[in-house]
């Protein structure tokens, strides 16, 4: 296993810059926040660690990119930041997200709450769910998996037309697999930074997706016309497990991070690292390294302490606390659906360690 390890001076320059204006800006920032970000140069602390590379197929090896330091991010003329007029992140669900209507509704609320904590200071709004047919997108059956797929590019065009006036960005989420063009096998997601739109699929986060027994397989695609989307009426939706929720939160925040202008991180283990496959994505942490954290803070303006406290509250709030109507086949009238947060335990412990540094 290889390790991407940078010198203390390289990391300091990437975080603070040699630009006198940005250095002064850093020195005037909250002393507690400086103390946390300086942990990047303290490998013994274990809060921020070098990037491990497990194989030649890992992103950094197979997709060489120029690292983006804070100064490059801050001075990017094409980067867009939220404003008083465009201060909202919109989430548009496409098709059912859970195996019942109740699960689907709760799941998207969990994602909304997580985004509100992660991008602390911005408003996150849910748009009314829509069917696949509403997007008028092309679809197909994947030759390798025999699972249904919808065209990511067509959905991006649909979302761009639907983007509200106060939106910083609008992101679509779906449990149906995606493809960007006929020659591609699949894509986890696709985004347009200039348009502030993205579409992400969580279908492949189900542990049984590649199984020969996966219930979402379609042997033959029968459609009466180009406007016939009836094949999606009873499409299989995987169970929302704790691991699937964690993977969804990770992907959603990573991709929205790109819309903020954060490129793939090559400094330290970080949410903004690229990933070529699910195994690599699972190794990627939920946290931002100090360099990417400073980038996001400069775009939004949040307090580190308040942001981390909001993330802990989201994890601790294991249910909405609101009784909901159960599906018709249930004999119970009301149910409180617990949020499956078991997989977030290590993330919470890490945040608490950060808060301890911030609150010394």
């Amino acid at each position: 296993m290889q390790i991407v390890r940078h010198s203390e001076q390289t990391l300091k320059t990437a975080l603070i810059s040699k630009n006198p204006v940005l250095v002064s800006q850093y020195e005037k920032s909250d002393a507690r926040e400086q103390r946390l970000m300086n942990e990047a140069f303290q490998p013994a602390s274990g809060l921020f660690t070098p990037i491990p590379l497990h194989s030649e197929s890992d992103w950094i090896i197979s997709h060489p990119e120029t690292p983006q330091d804070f100064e490059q991010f801050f001075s990017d003329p094409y980067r867009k930041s939220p404003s008083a007029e465009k201060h909202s992140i919109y989430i548009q669900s496409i098709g059912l997200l859970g195996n019942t209507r109740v699960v689907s509704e709760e799941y998207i609320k969990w994602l909304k709450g997580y985004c509100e904590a992660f991008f602390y200071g911005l408003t996150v709004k849910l748009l009314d769910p829509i069917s696949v047919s509403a997007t008028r997108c092309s679809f197909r059956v994947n030759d390798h998996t025999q699972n249904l797929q919808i065209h990511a590019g067509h959905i991006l065009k649909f979302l761009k037309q639907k983007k509200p006036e106060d939106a910083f960005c609008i992101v679509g989420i779906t449990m149906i697999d995606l493809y960007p063009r006929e020659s591609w096998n699949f894509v986890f997601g696709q985004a347009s930074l200039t348009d502030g739109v993205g579409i992400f699929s969580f279908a492949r986060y189900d542990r049984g997706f590649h199984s020969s027994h996966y219930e979402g397989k379609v042997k033959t695609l029968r459609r009466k016309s180009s406007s016939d989307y009836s094949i999606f009426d009873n499409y299989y939706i995987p169970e929302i497990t704790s691991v699937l929720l964690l993977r969804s939160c990770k992907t959603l925040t990573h991709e929205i991070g790109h819309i903020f202008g954060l490129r793939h991180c090559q400094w330290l283990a970080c949410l903004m690292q690229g990933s070529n496959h699910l195994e690599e994505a699972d190794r990627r942490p939920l946290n931002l390294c100090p360099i990417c954290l400073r980038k996001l803070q400069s775009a939004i303006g949040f307090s580190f302490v308040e942001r981390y406290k909001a993330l802990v509250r989201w994890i601790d709030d294991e249910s909405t606390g609101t009784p909901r109507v159960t599906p018709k086949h249930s004999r119970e009238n009301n149910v409180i659906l617990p949020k499956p947060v078991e997989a977030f335990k290590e993330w919470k412990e890490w945040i608490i360690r950060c808060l301890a540094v911030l609150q010394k």
Side-chain angles (χ1 to χ4, degrees):
M1 182 175 71
Q2 295 177 267
I3 300 291
V4 177
R5 193 186 303 276
H6 298 285
S7 69
E8 178 178 338
Q9 187 56 51
T10 298
L11 290 170
K12 278 186 176 179
T13 303
L15 172 66
I16 302 172
S17 166
K18 291 182 178 180
N19 182 323
V21 175
L22 296 182
V23 172
S24 175
Q25 182 191 92
Y26 184 81
E27 291 173 346
K28 291 177 181 177
S29 63
D30 188 303
R32 298 173 303 169
E33 295 182 351
Q34 287 185 49
R35 186 164 60 236
L36 178 67
M37 288 188 285
N38 289 345
E39 289 284 316
F41 325 132
Q42 311 295 328
S45 76
L47 271 181
F48 303 103
T49 58
I51 302 172
L53 301 178
H54 290 250
S55 74
E56 294 296 316
S57 67
D58 281 4
W59 182 274
I60 288 179
I61 297 175
S62 58
H63 293 80
E65 297 173 280
T66 303
Q68 180 198 48
D69 60 23
F70 177 76
E71 182 177 346
Q72 290 168 324
F73 168 84
F74 191 81
S75 59
D76 184 351
Y78 301 105
R79 178 176 63 85
K80 295 184 179 180
S81 293
S83 64
E85 296 76 27
K86 297 184 181 296
H87 204 252
S88 299
I89 295 172
Y90 281 86
I91 300 177
Q92 173 69 75
S93 61
I94 300 169
L96 283 175
L97 300 177
N99 48 18
T100 70
R101 181 182 57 79
V102 172
V103 172
S104 188
E105 290 175 354
E106 294 304 295
Y107 171 63
I108 196 169
K109 286 181 180 179
W110 296 333
L111 294 178
K112 172 183 180 290
Y114 188 80
C115 279
E116 285 176 331
F118 193 92
F119 300 104
Y120 189 78
L122 295 188
T123 302
V124 181
K125 299 178 181 179
L126 298 178
L127 295 170
D128 290 337
I130 59 170
S131 63
V132 177
S133 62
T135 69
R136 314 310 298 168
C137 68
S138 296
F139 59 92
R140 72 179 187 185
V141 173
N142 183 286
D143 291 336
H144 302 282
T145 65
Q146 265 63 62
N147 294 326
L148 275 170
Q149 294 182 300
I150 50 182
H151 196 292
H154 293 177
I155 297 176
L156 288 181
K157 290 179 181 177
F158 169 82
L159 292 172
K160 182 181 177 181
Q161 294 171 349
K162 195 177 181 183
K163 189 177 177 183
E165 287 294 320
D166 67 332
F168 167 68
C169 67
I170 176 172
V171 293
I173 58 174
T174 184
M175 279 296 181
I176 304 166
D177 204 25
L178 299 171
Y179 71 103
R181 58 180 68 97
E182 288 299 330
S183 59
W184 280 49
N185 180 22
F186 80 98
V187 68
F188 282 115
Q190 196 170 355
S192 169
L193 278 60
T194 53
D195 294 327
V197 297
I199 174 66
F200 319 116
S201 168
F202 305 135
R204 290 177 181 251
Y205 292 161
D206 178 50
R207 58 192 172 193
F209 184 85
H210 293 283
S211 166
S212 59
H213 305 294
Y214 188 69
E215 295 182 46
K217 291 187 181 298
V218 178
K219 293 183 179 179
T220 56
L221 179 59
R222 296 188 179 93
R223 58 190 299 177
K224 298 174 183 177
S225 67
S226 60
S227 60
D228 180 13
Y229 290 84
S230 59
I231 194 167
F232 294 99
D233 291 347
N234 297 304
Y235 182 72
Y236 170 70
I237 303 296
E239 179 187 359
I240 306 299
T241 63
S242 184
V243 171
L244 191 147
L245 179 61
L246 181 142
R247 289 169 171 170
S248 303
C249 289
K250 188 182 288 188
T251 295
L252 193 57
T253 49
H254 173 99
E255 298 297 347
I256 294 175
H258 281 319
I259 296 176
F260 274 92
L262 278 73
R263 297 184 204 154
H264 285 128
C265 181
Q266 299 180 57
W267 303 111
L268 294 159
C270 177
L271 172 81
M272 292 310 299
Q273 284 171 238
S275 60
N276 268 341
H277 44 77
L278 186 56
E279 182 183 357
E280 186 177 15
D282 281 343
R283 290 198 300 266
R284 188 173 62 194
L286 281 160
N287 65 275
L288 294 170
C289 75
I291 298 160
C292 293
L293 182 62
R294 188 184 181 200
K295 293 174 186 177
L296 189 63
Q297 186 196 42
S298 74
I300 301 177
F302 50 69
S303 153
F304 284 11
V305 169
E306 295 309 314
R307 176 178 177 271
Y308 283 138
K309 284 182 176 179
L311 285 164
V312 171
R313 284 196 300 272
W314 181 88
I315 297 170
D316 285 343
D317 181 21
E318 296 188 6
S319 74
T320 60
T322 305
R324 303 302 304 273
V325 177
T326 57
K328 291 180 181 178
H329 61 266
S330 173
R331 294 182 180 180
E332 299 177 18
N333 292 324
N334 294 286
V335 66
I336 294 177
L337 195 63
K339 186 196 305 174
V341 293
E342 300 85 9
F344 293 82
K345 181 181 177 182
E346 288 185 14
W347 172 220
K348 178 183 174 181
E349 291 172 352
W350 184 91
I351 296 171
I352 290 172
R353 289 173 62 200
C354 288
L355 283 169
V357 172
L358 287 163
Q359 296 174 325
K360 278 183 181 178

